[in-house]
């Protein structure tokens, strides 16, 4: 039942659903990974899959966001909880309480551009000094993969004053901005990304295997360009954690399947683009609501080799809208599909098929071809060089020919065959180039 505060405003209902908790009194030795593992362990904490954690080490407090609202009640039902022999405090956090989470982040700056000689202690002392923020640093962490320091102060005012100044340390200009925390990634509720099955697995076999373990029907498959990958659409929302566990314990055609949630896509893949169409032409078209029905293009990656293009948008609504329309760019009607990064390319929904490549004709010049054609050692050397990239010359030309024909030996049984097909020609040309340098 909803309550009202002293001003007569209605408060949030105490029992309204939420997928968030605030965890206090964590041991000082706790790490973010340990917190995630703790709350994803049903036996220990009662929790489920964790979507996001914001950990404030200085105050030994963390905000945990689960993928499912049921996780919160399951965790609370197991309290009091022990984390490394320390009793922790757990409480619900509602959307209306998100100001607490904002307080967590708005007093933090990101610092990049440091000289290699700069130390963590040196950076901290600089920002505590008059040239930096002239205030105490509550916490400083180095994010190795980003080569970035996260520095937290006691108030937002300190951060604002710090951002007004330019900063230089150890002879190098520093880039300083307010911390922008990563947001939890939205996922498709009734979909799962499945990988690890082999090319011999039929669609029917995969369907039966997954339905038996998910206890729900499979509506569709979207197979990827990467061998053994597919997005699976279910009739009802599956228990991803349970399905993952089931697939770890039972093989399908001698393979263990890996099951993951599917991130909501913000991208489309555009194919059948007219040769010569530029990256800017594609960008201006899809960033024009009058022409394409969408806007908010963030990035464009044009592949002139196969005349396809991946277009990234700011939000996830644009790709859905774009796929509902017919698009013509520079007089050519193009095909537009949702682009799933995990699938590695288009998502046509076709089964896991392998299409053999056509032979590759290469002009080497008459002298080199004649020399090799008349030398058994030369022929053997060429095929020895080509073998690792699944290529061979089965028939050498006779007479005055400057061209050789290279056959592709990739088959459906070759591991990662669909991935190798994409670079086969480039791999062959590189090996030939290195070989011909020996004969030049």
């Amino acid at each position: 039942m909803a309550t009202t505060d002293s001003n007569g405003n209605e408060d949030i209902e105490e029992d309204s659903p939420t997928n968030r908790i605030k965890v206090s009194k964590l041991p000082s030795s706790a790490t973010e990974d340990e917190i995630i593992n703790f709350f994803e362990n049903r036996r220990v904490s009662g929790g489920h899959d964790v979507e996001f954690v914001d950990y404030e080490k200085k105050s030994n407090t963390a905000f945990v966001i689960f993928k499912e609202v049921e996780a919160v009640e399951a965790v609370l039902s197991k309290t009091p909880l022990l984390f490394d022999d320390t009793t922790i405090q757990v409480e619900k956090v509602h959307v209306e309480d998100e100001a607490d989470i904002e307080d967590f982040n708005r007093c933090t700056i990101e610092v990049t551009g440091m000289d290699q000689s700069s130390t963590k202690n040196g950076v901290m002392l600089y920002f505590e000094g008059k040239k930096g923020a002239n205030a105490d640093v509550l916490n400083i962490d180095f994010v190795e993969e980003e080569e970035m320091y996260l520095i937290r102060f006691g108030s937002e005012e300190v951060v604002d004053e710090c951002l007004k100044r330019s900063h230089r340390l150890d002879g190098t200009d520093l880039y300083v901005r307010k911390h922008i925390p990563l947001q939890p990634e939205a996922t498709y509720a009734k979909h799962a990304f499945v990988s690890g099955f082999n090319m011999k697995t039929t669609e029917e076999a995969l369907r039966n295997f997954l339905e038996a373990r998910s206890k729900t029907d499979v509506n569709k498959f979207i197979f990827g360009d990467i061998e053994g990958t597919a997005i699976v659409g279910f009739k009802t929302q599956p228990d991803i954690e349970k399905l993952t566990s089931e697939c770890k314990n039972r093989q399908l055609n001698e393979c263990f399947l890996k099951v993951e949630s599917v991130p909501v896509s913000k991208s489309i893949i555009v194919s059948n683009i007219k040769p010569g169409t530029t990256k800017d032409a594609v960008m201006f078209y899809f960033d024009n609501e009058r022409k394409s029905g969408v806007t908010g293009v963030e990035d464009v990656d044009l592949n002139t080799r196969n005349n396809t293009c991946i277009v990234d948008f700011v939000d996830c609504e644009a790709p859905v809208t774009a796929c509902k329309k017919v698009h013509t760019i520079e007089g050519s009607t193009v095909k537009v599909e949702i682009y799933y990064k995990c699938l590695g390319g288009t998502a046509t929904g076709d089964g896991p098929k392998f299409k053999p490549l056509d032979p590759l004709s290469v002009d080497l010049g008459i002298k080199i071809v004649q020399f090799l054609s008349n030398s058994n050692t030369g022929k053997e050397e060429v095929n020895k060089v080509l073998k690792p990239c699944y290529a061979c010359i089965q028939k050498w030309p006779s007479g005055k020919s400057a061209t050789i024909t290279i056959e592709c030996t990739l088959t459906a049984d070759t591991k990662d065959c669909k991935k190798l097909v994409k670079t086969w020609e480039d791999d062959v040309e590189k090996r030939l180039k290195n070989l011909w340098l020996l004969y030049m």
Side-chain angles (χ1 to χ4, degrees), residues 156-171:
E156 192 174 5
E157 289 73 24
V158 173
V159 171
D160 291 339
E161 287 299 315
C162 183
L163 295 177
K164 291 178 182 178
R165 308 172 189 172
S166 59
H167 301 277
R168 188 174 176 83
L169 177 65
D170 295 328

Side-chain angles (χ1 to χ4, degrees), residues 338-351:
I338 298 290
Y339 175 74
Y340 300 99
K341 187 177 181 180
C342 56
L343 293 181
T346 56
T348 60
D350 294 334

Side-chain angles (χ1 to χ4, degrees), residues 103-355:
D103 287 339
F104 229 64
N105 297 304
R106 62 189 181 188
C107 298
T108 300
I109 60 173
E110 299 177 0
V111 182
T112 55
M114 297 76 62
D115 186 79
Q116 290 185 349
S117 64
S118 297
T119 64
K120 182 177 181 178
N121 189 56
V123 173
M124 183 183 73
L125 291 175
Y126 169 82
F127 280 98
E128 286 189 332
K130 292 182 179 180
K131 292 183 179 181
N134 196 26
D136 290 342
V137 171
L138 298 184
N139 190 61
I140 178 170
D141 286 311
F142 183 65
V143 184
E144 188 171 353
E145 58 270 22
E146 301 289 339
E147 295 187 351
M148 171 181 71
Y149 281 102
L150 292 178
I151 303 176
R152 192 181 302 280
F153 299 99
S155 70
E156 192 174 5
E157 289 73 24
V158 173
V159 171
D160 291 339
E161 287 299 315
C162 183
L163 295 177
K164 291 178 182 178
R165 308 172 189 172
S166 59
H167 301 277
R168 188 174 176 83
L169 177 65
D170 295 328
T172 302
D173 291 327
L174 303 179
Y175 178 63
V176 181
R177 71 171 187 173
K178 185 172 285 190
H179 176 45
I180 305 174
L182 292 174
Q183 297 300 311
E185 199 170 44
T187 57
Y188 295 106
K190 297 180 182 180
H191 292 72
F193 174 60
V194 179
S195 58
F197 55 91
N198 60 42
M199 292 295 295
K200 296 178 181 178
T201 302
T202 64
E203 182 176 322
E204 188 63 24
L206 185 59
R207 180 188 300 276
N208 293 337
F209 182 86
L210 293 172
E211 287 184 344
R213 281 148 191 82
S214 65
K215 309 304 180 186
T216 184
D217 293 338
V218 170
N219 283 340
K220 66 175 180 179
F221 287 104
I222 305 174
F223 291 95
D225 282 358
I226 298 175
E227 181 184 330
T229 62
I231 290 176
V232 184
F234 294 91
K235 185 177 180 179
T236 59
Q237 183 173 347
D239 185 329
I240 296 294
E241 183 177 345
K242 185 176 180 180
L243 182 57
T244 299
S245 178
E246 291 276 350
C247 291
K248 284 181 179 178
N249 297 324
R250 185 70 178 268
Q251 288 183 324
L252 174 62
N253 290 341
E254 301 180 350
C255 294
F256 287 103
L257 306 190
K258 184 177 181 181
V259 181
E260 303 168 77
S261 297
V262 183
V264 173
S265 176
K266 294 183 180 179
S267 307
I268 57 174
I269 184 162
V270 186
S271 52
N272 300 333
I273 296 174
K274 181 180 178 181
T277 300
T278 65
K279 174 180 175 179
D280 285 343
V282 177
M283 181 182 68
F284 292 142
Y285 174 81
F286 283 106
D287 209 17
N288 187 320
E289 192 168 5
R290 181 180 60 82
K291 290 184 177 181
S292 64
V294 291
T295 187
V297 172
E298 191 170 49
D299 192 24
V300 172
D301 184 12
L302 178 65
N303 186 332
T304 56
R305 188 181 185 91
N306 58 17
N307 297 316
T308 62
C309 187
I310 297 171
V311 182
D312 300 324
F313 293 93
V314 174
D315 62 68
C316 56
E317 296 296 327
V320 177
T321 303
C323 289
K324 294 178 181 178
K325 291 176 62 75
V326 176
H327 302 278
T328 302
I329 302 176
E330 295 191 343
S332 177
T333 300
V334 298
K335 184 178 181 181
V336 176
E337 303 170 275
I338 298 290
Y339 175 74
Y340 300 99
K341 187 177 181 180
C342 56
L343 293 181
T346 56
T348 60
D350 294 334
K353 302 173 183 177
F354 171 78
K355 182 180 179 181

Side-chain angles (χ1 to χ4, degrees), residues 405-419:
T405 301
I406 302 174
E407 307 285 342
C408 178
T409 60
L410 284 168
T411 68
D413 294 326
T414 306
K415 184 180 179 182
D416 294 329
C417 61
K418 294 182 76 175
K419 183 178 179 181

